[in-house]
Amino acid sequence: RVSYVYYFHQEPKRFSGGHLRFYYSKLQDGVNSAGSLAADIEPPRNSLMIFPSHTHHEVTPITCATTALGDQRLTINGWLCV
């Protein structure tokens, strides 16, 4: 499987956070779990991130001064089975 996330927001951006973090995988007692931090990426506006779905990852919390939709960081995400 392949995961994808398309990021979009207005400029100047009116939020903070939302970094995409990837972790090294570690195998312990036959269980695949997240190891140490491998990358901490602030996705640029109008960017597409594609990565193997089995990769351990997370998104950091986002803070925004308003609840207006135009001030938010928006994404479209999905998975492809190949």
Side-chain angles (χ1 to χ4, degrees), residues 47-76:
S47 65
L48 178 66
M49 303 292 288
I50 301 171
F51 53 93
S53 297
H54 69 271
T55 304
H56 292 281
H57 64 281
E58 69 175 337
V59 176
T60 62
I62 295 172
T63 55
C64 188
T66 75
T67 58
L69 184 60
D71 290 345
Q72 306 296 314
R73 194 243 11 217
L74 304 171
T75 65
I76 298 172

Side-chain angles (χ1 to χ4, degrees), residues 19 31 36:
H19 291 204
V31 176
S36 60

Side-chain angles (χ1 to χ4, degrees), residues 19-60:
H19 291 204
L20 180 58
R21 288 186 173 164
F22 291 104
Y23 294 88
Y24 291 106
S25 293
K26 69 178 185 181
L27 189 61
Q28 185 173 358
D29 298 326
V31 176
N32 187 11
S33 61
S36 60
L37 182 65
D40 187 9
I41 302 167
E42 182 176 1
R45 178 178 178 234
N46 295 331
S47 65
L48 178 66
M49 303 292 288
I50 301 171
F51 53 93
S53 297
H54 69 271
T55 304
H56 292 281
H57 64 281
E58 69 175 337
V59 176
T60 62

